[in-house]
mmCIF file of all heavy atoms in Angstrom:
data_model
loop_
_atom_site.group_PDB
_atom_site.id
_atom_site.type_symbol
_atom_site.label_atom_id
_atom_site.label_comp_id
_atom_site.label_asym_id
_atom_site.label_seq_id
_atom_site.Cartn_x
_atom_site.Cartn_y
_atom_site.Cartn_z
ATOM 1 N N GLU A 1383 8.362 5.489 -9.584
ATOM 2 C CA GLU A 1383 7.427 5.584 -10.747
ATOM 3 C C GLU A 1383 6.105 5.190 -10.242
ATOM 4 O O GLU A 1383 5.855 4.119 -9.797
ATOM 5 C CB GLU A 1383 8.032 4.723 -11.801
ATOM 6 C CG GLU A 1383 7.560 4.959 -13.202
ATOM 7 C CD GLU A 1383 6.120 4.630 -13.440
ATOM 8 O OE1 GLU A 1383 5.729 3.526 -13.069
ATOM 9 O OE2 GLU A 1383 5.316 5.585 -13.947
ATOM 10 N N PRO A 1384 5.087 6.106 -10.372
ATOM 11 C CA PRO A 1384 3.727 5.860 -9.822
ATOM 12 C C PRO A 1384 3.031 4.572 -10.275
ATOM 13 O O PRO A 1384 2.473 3.793 -9.471
ATOM 14 C CB PRO A 1384 2.920 7.060 -10.249
ATOM 15 C CG PRO A 1384 3.946 8.158 -10.478
ATOM 16 C CD PRO A 1384 5.146 7.508 -10.957
ATOM 17 N N THR A 1385 3.247 4.241 -11.610
ATOM 18 C CA THR A 1385 2.532 2.964 -12.079
ATOM 19 C C THR A 1385 3.184 1.760 -11.440
ATOM 20 O O THR A 1385 2.401 0.825 -10.985
ATOM 21 C CB THR A 1385 2.668 2.891 -13.629
ATOM 22 O OG1 THR A 1385 2.086 4.079 -14.227
ATOM 23 C CG2 THR A 1385 2.014 1.626 -14.203
ATOM 24 N N GLU A 1386 4.401 1.681 -11.326
ATOM 25 C CA GLU A 1386 5.133 0.597 -10.607
ATOM 26 C C GLU A 1386 4.748 0.546 -9.122
ATOM 27 O O GLU A 1386 4.500 -0.514 -8.571
ATOM 28 C CB GLU A 1386 6.690 0.750 -10.745
ATOM 29 C CG GLU A 1386 7.494 -0.509 -10.283
ATOM 30 C CD GLU A 1386 7.913 -0.277 -8.866
ATOM 31 O OE1 GLU A 1386 8.024 0.906 -8.405
ATOM 32 O OE2 GLU A 1386 8.118 -1.310 -8.180
ATOM 33 N N LEU A 1387 4.796 1.631 -8.467
ATOM 34 C CA LEU A 1387 4.395 1.736 -7.058
ATOM 35 C C LEU A 1387 2.917 1.291 -6.783
ATOM 36 O O LEU A 1387 2.688 0.433 -5.919
ATOM 37 C CB LEU A 1387 4.440 3.206 -6.507
ATOM 38 C CG LEU A 1387 4.149 3.466 -4.998
ATOM 39 C CD1 LEU A 1387 4.826 2.540 -4.185
ATOM 40 C CD2 LEU A 1387 4.335 4.825 -4.728
ATOM 41 N N ALA A 1388 1.918 1.714 -7.659
ATOM 42 C CA ALA A 1388 0.695 1.183 -7.634
ATOM 43 C C ALA A 1388 0.521 -0.319 -7.840
ATOM 44 O O ALA A 1388 -0.194 -1.022 -7.124
ATOM 45 C CB ALA A 1388 -0.249 1.962 -8.554
ATOM 46 N N ALA A 1389 1.237 -0.829 -8.716
ATOM 47 C CA ALA A 1389 1.331 -2.254 -9.033
ATOM 48 C C ALA A 1389 1.738 -3.050 -7.796
ATOM 49 O O ALA A 1389 1.199 -4.118 -7.437
ATOM 50 C CB ALA A 1389 2.163 -2.580 -10.204
ATOM 51 N N ARG A 1390 2.845 -2.527 -7.204
ATOM 52 C CA ARG A 1390 3.339 -3.192 -5.901
ATOM 53 C C ARG A 1390 2.360 -3.188 -4.796
ATOM 54 O O ARG A 1390 2.187 -4.138 -4.068
ATOM 55 C CB ARG A 1390 4.623 -2.599 -5.476
ATOM 56 C CG ARG A 1390 5.845 -2.931 -6.401
ATOM 57 C CD ARG A 1390 7.178 -2.531 -5.863
ATOM 58 N NE ARG A 1390 7.358 -1.078 -5.745
ATOM 59 C CZ ARG A 1390 7.724 -0.476 -4.654
ATOM 60 N NH1 ARG A 1390 8.004 -1.111 -3.525
ATOM 61 N NH2 ARG A 1390 7.790 0.833 -4.602
ATOM 62 N N MET A 1391 1.570 -2.070 -4.754
ATOM 63 C CA MET A 1391 0.551 -1.990 -3.695
ATOM 64 C C MET A 1391 -0.526 -3.007 -3.931
ATOM 65 O O MET A 1391 -0.965 -3.682 -3.052
ATOM 66 C CB MET A 1391 -0.034 -0.488 -3.653
ATOM 67 C CG MET A 1391 0.896 0.525 -3.229
ATOM 68 S SD MET A 1391 0.495 2.251 -3.550
ATOM 69 C CE MET A 1391 -1.097 2.342 -2.837
ATOM 70 N N ARG A 1392 -1.020 -3.057 -5.184
ATOM 71 C CA ARG A 1392 -2.094 -4.118 -5.567
ATOM 72 C C ARG A 1392 -1.538 -5.476 -5.282
ATOM 73 O O ARG A 1392 -2.313 -6.272 -4.717
ATOM 74 C CB ARG A 1392 -2.363 -3.926 -7.044
ATOM 75 C CG ARG A 1392 -3.387 -2.829 -7.338
ATOM 76 C CD ARG A 1392 -3.834 -2.918 -8.798
ATOM 77 N NE ARG A 1392 -4.141 -1.644 -9.256
ATOM 78 C CZ ARG A 1392 -3.263 -0.852 -9.936
ATOM 79 N NH1 ARG A 1392 -2.194 -1.213 -10.311
ATOM 80 N NH2 ARG A 1392 -3.694 0.421 -10.184
ATOM 81 N N ALA A 1393 -0.312 -5.880 -5.607
ATOM 82 C CA ALA A 1393 0.174 -7.207 -5.409
ATOM 83 C C ALA A 1393 0.219 -7.459 -4.014
ATOM 84 O O ALA A 1393 -0.075 -8.617 -3.561
ATOM 85 C CB ALA A 1393 1.585 -7.241 -6.021
ATOM 86 N N HIS A 1394 0.594 -6.522 -3.102
ATOM 87 C CA HIS A 1394 0.656 -6.731 -1.697
ATOM 88 C C HIS A 1394 -0.807 -7.002 -1.139
ATOM 89 O O HIS A 1394 -0.942 -7.968 -0.367
ATOM 90 C CB HIS A 1394 1.226 -5.550 -0.900
ATOM 91 C CG HIS A 1394 1.235 -5.691 0.520
ATOM 92 N ND1 HIS A 1394 2.049 -6.679 1.198
ATOM 93 C CD2 HIS A 1394 0.402 -5.092 1.445
ATOM 94 C CE1 HIS A 1394 1.692 -6.471 2.481
ATOM 95 N NE2 HIS A 1394 0.687 -5.627 2.766
ATOM 96 N N VAL A 1395 -1.813 -6.199 -1.564
ATOM 97 C CA VAL A 1395 -3.131 -6.403 -1.061
ATOM 98 C C VAL A 1395 -3.640 -7.808 -1.517
ATOM 99 O O VAL A 1395 -4.206 -8.528 -0.602
ATOM 100 C CB VAL A 1395 -3.988 -5.304 -1.497
ATOM 101 C CG1 VAL A 1395 -5.411 -5.539 -1.197
ATOM 102 C CG2 VAL A 1395 -3.597 -3.868 -0.892
ATOM 103 N N VAL A 1396 -3.365 -8.137 -2.705
ATOM 104 C CA VAL A 1396 -3.881 -9.412 -3.210
ATOM 105 C C VAL A 1396 -3.237 -10.578 -2.380
ATOM 106 O O VAL A 1396 -3.886 -11.483 -2.015
ATOM 107 C CB VAL A 1396 -3.530 -9.605 -4.688
ATOM 108 C CG1 VAL A 1396 -3.687 -11.028 -5.137
ATOM 109 C CG2 VAL A 1396 -4.428 -8.750 -5.533
ATOM 110 N N ALA A 1397 -1.929 -10.453 -2.109
ATOM 111 C CA ALA A 1397 -1.267 -11.447 -1.352
ATOM 112 C C ALA A 1397 -1.771 -11.599 0.045
ATOM 113 O O ALA A 1397 -1.967 -12.737 0.556
ATOM 114 C CB ALA A 1397 0.264 -11.293 -1.374
ATOM 115 N N GLN A 1398 -1.921 -10.384 0.707
ATOM 116 C CA GLN A 1398 -2.409 -10.440 2.043
ATOM 117 C C GLN A 1398 -3.838 -11.015 2.132
ATOM 118 O O GLN A 1398 -4.180 -11.841 3.042
ATOM 119 C CB GLN A 1398 -2.483 -8.981 2.671
ATOM 120 C CG GLN A 1398 -1.076 -8.430 2.981
ATOM 121 C CD GLN A 1398 -0.399 -9.137 4.113
ATOM 122 O OE1 GLN A 1398 0.544 -9.749 3.833
ATOM 123 N NE2 GLN A 1398 -0.873 -8.822 5.351
ATOM 124 N N HIS A 1399 -4.757 -10.627 1.315
ATOM 125 C CA HIS A 1399 -6.065 -11.045 1.250
ATOM 126 C C HIS A 1399 -6.227 -12.557 0.937
ATOM 127 O O HIS A 1399 -6.981 -13.256 1.506
ATOM 128 C CB HIS A 1399 -6.915 -10.202 0.335
ATOM 129 C CG HIS A 1399 -7.203 -8.824 0.908
ATOM 130 N ND1 HIS A 1399 -7.966 -7.923 0.265
ATOM 131 C CD2 HIS A 1399 -6.760 -8.165 2.055
ATOM 132 C CE1 HIS A 1399 -8.017 -6.732 0.917
ATOM 133 N NE2 HIS A 1399 -7.325 -6.933 2.016
ATOM 134 N N ALA A 1400 -5.317 -12.988 0.023
ATOM 135 C CA ALA A 1400 -5.339 -14.456 -0.325
ATOM 136 C C ALA A 1400 -4.973 -15.325 0.892
ATOM 137 O O ALA A 1400 -5.377 -16.384 1.006
ATOM 138 C CB ALA A 1400 -4.332 -14.719 -1.478
ATOM 139 N N ALA A 1401 -4.176 -14.773 1.752
ATOM 140 C CA ALA A 1401 -3.680 -15.386 2.953
ATOM 141 C C ALA A 1401 -4.729 -15.198 4.165
ATOM 142 O O ALA A 1401 -4.554 -15.724 5.206
ATOM 143 C CB ALA A 1401 -2.336 -14.990 3.526
ATOM 144 N N GLY A 1402 -5.867 -14.448 3.846
ATOM 145 C CA GLY A 1402 -6.849 -14.231 4.796
ATOM 146 C C GLY A 1402 -6.466 -13.012 5.841
ATOM 147 O O GLY A 1402 -7.084 -12.940 6.907
ATOM 148 N N ASP A 1403 -5.404 -12.270 5.427
ATOM 149 C CA ASP A 1403 -4.897 -11.191 6.416
ATOM 150 C C ASP A 1403 -5.275 -9.901 5.860
ATOM 151 O O ASP A 1403 -5.443 -9.600 4.651
ATOM 152 C CB ASP A 1403 -3.333 -11.343 6.436
ATOM 153 C CG ASP A 1403 -2.923 -12.630 7.017
ATOM 154 O OD1 ASP A 1403 -3.592 -13.170 7.979
ATOM 155 O OD2 ASP A 1403 -1.766 -13.050 6.652
ATOM 156 N N ASP A 1404 -5.390 -8.968 6.785
ATOM 157 C CA ASP A 1404 -5.569 -7.582 6.486
ATOM 158 C C ASP A 1404 -4.294 -6.971 5.796
ATOM 159 O O ASP A 1404 -3.189 -7.485 5.988
ATOM 160 C CB ASP A 1404 -5.800 -6.748 7.720
ATOM 161 C CG ASP A 1404 -7.168 -7.001 8.410
ATOM 162 O OD1 ASP A 1404 -8.031 -7.610 7.721
ATOM 163 O OD2 ASP A 1404 -7.228 -6.826 9.680
ATOM 164 N N ALA A 1405 -4.501 -5.941 5.021
ATOM 165 C CA ALA A 1405 -3.298 -5.228 4.457
ATOM 166 C C ALA A 1405 -3.279 -3.779 4.948
ATOM 167 O O ALA A 1405 -4.346 -3.120 4.899
ATOM 168 C CB ALA A 1405 -3.514 -5.200 2.902
ATOM 169 N N ILE A 1406 -2.213 -3.402 5.540
ATOM 170 C CA ILE A 1406 -2.016 -2.056 6.061
ATOM 171 C C ILE A 1406 -0.838 -1.386 5.276
ATOM 172 O O ILE A 1406 0.330 -1.814 5.442
ATOM 173 C CB ILE A 1406 -1.768 -2.031 7.564
ATOM 174 C CG1 ILE A 1406 -2.885 -2.814 8.344
ATOM 175 C CG2 ILE A 1406 -1.563 -0.648 8.045
ATOM 176 C CD1 ILE A 1406 -2.512 -3.113 9.760
#
């Protein structure tokens, strides 16, 4: 489901960046 997939992508980027890490 595109909305759910986009939300998971956003959450991953936020978590990576909060840890000071790049998101790929």
Side-chain angles (χ1 to χ4, degrees):
E1383 200 287 311
T1385 303
E1386 185 269 333
L1387 179 57
R1390 287 191 295 129
M1391 291 164 56
R1392 275 189 212 97
H1394 174 72
V1395 172
V1396 167
Q1398 288 294 109
H1399 288 181
D1403 296 328
D1404 294 339
I1406 305 169

